[in-house]
Amino acid sequence: MKIIVTKDYEKMSLKAFEVLKGVVKSKPYAVLGLATGTTPLGLYHNMIEDHKTHGTSYAHIRAVNLDEYQGLPKDHPQSYAYFMRENLFKHLDIEESNTFIENGMAQNEAEECARYNKLLSELPRDIQLLGLGSNGHIAFNEPNTPFGNETHVVDLTENTIKDNARLFGDILEVPRKAFTMGIKQIMQAKQILILASGANKADAVYQTVRGRVTEAVPASVLQLHPNCIMIADKEAASKL
Ligand code: F6R
């Protein structure tokens, strides 16, 4: 794993943007694996600004997202579909029909997972962007998820529910379950870019980079990926 430590969140977002723009420029039909959460917002902001000022085009780009809360429709303000539309897609020239995410409202979990697995097999990711959970999760693959899992439904841990409650009015409104891409599929991306910012990620960054590769720390699997870059700001990297 290549590790880049930056002075702050802005520099982390800028470095991440350089990597992502490199992929988009060299391959206009690239498939981007994207993430939600607070961490990639700076990167998304840079992508939008660059699109506006330099015209970098996403007209043929396909975007596949990691995860979605179960029970939230795609126009619910806390759904990840809504997040992606508001924070990125609607500001770019990407075709809505080229953006993919699990359907949080799917009645049949197994069918929805199978549909997404098929889609992922048809859209191999050129780059997979990841945030890092403070408990070491990637996507919603919580500690002790088997590395071989494909798309599945997870019971979110109390830790993750608490972390994500800041985005909801009340902790009781945070969904308890989510659909998530599996670790096996994350690892299939040609390149992985994982971002971490802030002191609350420092333990997880340390375990991811220096710890043993173990299902107890899902992100530690990234040590086994042949082309993975971690960009962490100083605070997140403080325990390395
Ligand atoms: C989001 C996702 C999560 C987040 C992680 C970090 O699609 O898959 O794994 O990347 O929980 O979240 P933030 O960036 O909000 O700290």
Side-chain angles (χ1 to χ4, degrees), residues 42-237:
L43 161 64
Y44 292 164
H45 172 79
N46 292 336
M47 289 164 73
I48 294 165
E49 284 305 304
D50 169 69
H51 170 68
K52 282 191 194 146
T53 52
H54 300 114
T56 301
S57 177
Y58 295 77
H60 303 295
I61 293 289
R62 277 79 46 83
V64 184
N65 261 81
L66 288 168
D67 40 18
E68 179 60 284
Y69 286 120
Q70 195 185 46
L72 297 191
K74 63 180 196 304
D75 49 1
H76 187 289
Q78 308 301 345
S79 76
Y80 286 170
Y82 184 93
F83 176 101
M84 290 308 298
R85 207 165 51 241
E86 290 302 308
N87 291 298
L88 186 64
F89 297 149
K90 80 173 191 191
H91 307 284
L92 303 176
D93 61 343
I94 193 165
E95 298 286 340
E96 199 185 331
S97 58
N98 280 339
T99 66
F100 306 93
I101 191 163
E102 295 95 330
N103 173 11
M105 295 305 283
Q107 293 300 310
N108 185 323
E109 292 179 0
E111 259 175 31
E112 178 57 13
C113 293
R115 180 190 74 83
Y116 215 62
N117 285 336
K118 180 161 179 287
L119 185 112
L120 292 173
S121 68
E122 290 161 2
L123 291 174
R125 276 73 61 215
D126 290 288
I127 187 164
Q128 176 65 59
L129 173 68
L130 297 174
L132 178 64
S134 62
N135 63 358
H137 76 210
I138 45 177
F140 273 136
N141 294 286
E142 298 284 24
N144 301 313
T145 303
F147 286 161
N149 266 18
E150 298 192 323
T151 307
H152 59 287
V153 173
V154 294
D155 292 312
L156 301 179
T157 60
E158 278 310 311
N159 180 81
T160 297
I161 291 167
K162 240 191 282 156
D163 278 358
N164 291 4
R166 69 187 190 281
L167 305 168
F168 289 79
D170 187 317
I171 193 162
L172 294 174
E173 285 173 27
V174 184
R176 269 32 191 180
K177 283 178 153 201
F179 288 95
T180 184
M181 191 189 289
I183 291 175
K184 178 174 167 188
Q185 293 151 323
I186 290 173
M187 290 294 279
Q188 284 166 350
K190 282 196 199 108
Q191 183 177 15
I192 294 181
L193 175 61
I194 179 162
L195 308 181
S197 166
N200 69 322
K201 302 292 173 74
D203 283 324
V205 166
Y206 179 84
Q207 293 299 332
T208 300
V209 175
R210 302 256 187 270
R212 206 161 54 81
V213 176
T214 164
E215 289 177 349
V217 183
S220 66
V221 75
L222 301 175
Q223 291 179 29
L224 307 178
H225 195 281
N227 189 5
C228 176
I229 306 178
M230 166 175 294
I231 309 179
D233 66 14
K234 234 176 23 204
E235 289 187 341

